Amino acid sequence: MQGRVAFLPYVPIRLKAQKPKPFPEAPRTLGEHLKRCRLARKLSQKQVAKLLGVSPFTVLNWEKNRTTPPTRTIPTILRFLGYNPLGPSGPGSLPEQLLLGAWERLRGDSSRR
């Protein structure tokens, strides 16, 4: 069969699916908050990485929840976000407690100790 090409008739195909949303409506993880804030400000992962002092691959991993940010970067991330992702609710897990502690130190609160 060398030199021959099989004839496949033209069949129109329509793929139907909703486009995925760029970020979750109600972010639950720090990575989801980071992605939502980045997209709202129309920044690239490379630009955010430069602002946070990390590599673009690190930002990608945080946004996809493959890894979590180390404690030392949380104050920088909170400054970038401009808010505490935990909101008014109290901390439950150890990472949430660390996040809240970093937020309080960033703001200068000492009332929760």
Side-chain angles (χ1 to χ4, degrees):
M1 261 214 136
Q2 281 185 327
R4 295 186 178 173
V5 178
F7 174 73
L8 298 174
Y10 173 75
V11 178
I13 297 174
R14 176 177 279 178
L15 301 176
K16 295 180 183 180
Q18 290 183 347
K19 289 185 179 182
K21 295 185 180 185
F23 53 83
E25 294 292 324
R28 293 185 295 181
T29 65
L30 190 58
E32 290 173 353
H33 281 277
L34 190 62
K35 183 174 184 176
R36 183 176 189 184
C37 189
R38 177 181 66 81
L39 293 175
R41 295 179 187 179
K42 297 182 180 177
L43 296 172
S44 68
Q45 288 175 336
K46 187 175 182 179
Q47 291 169 318
V48 171
K50 192 171 185 178
L51 289 170
L52 299 178
V54 297
S55 74
F57 190 67
T58 301
V59 174
L60 171 74
N61 284 332
W62 291 345
E63 288 183 357
K64 293 200 175 273
N65 296 312
R66 292 181 186 153
T67 60
T68 56
T71 307
R72 71 177 188 279
T73 61
I74 289 177
T76 310
I77 293 169
L78 292 177
R79 255 186 248 108
F80 171 74
L81 292 175
Y83 64 91
N84 180 357
L86 291 177
S89 64
S93 66
L94 181 61
E96 289 174 338
Q97 290 174 3
L98 292 172
L99 183 63
L100 184 59
W103 176 250
E104 289 172 349
R105 284 191 300 279
L106 181 67
R107 289 189 23 215
D109 285 351
S110 59
S111 59
R112 290 222 5 139
R113 296 189 187 165

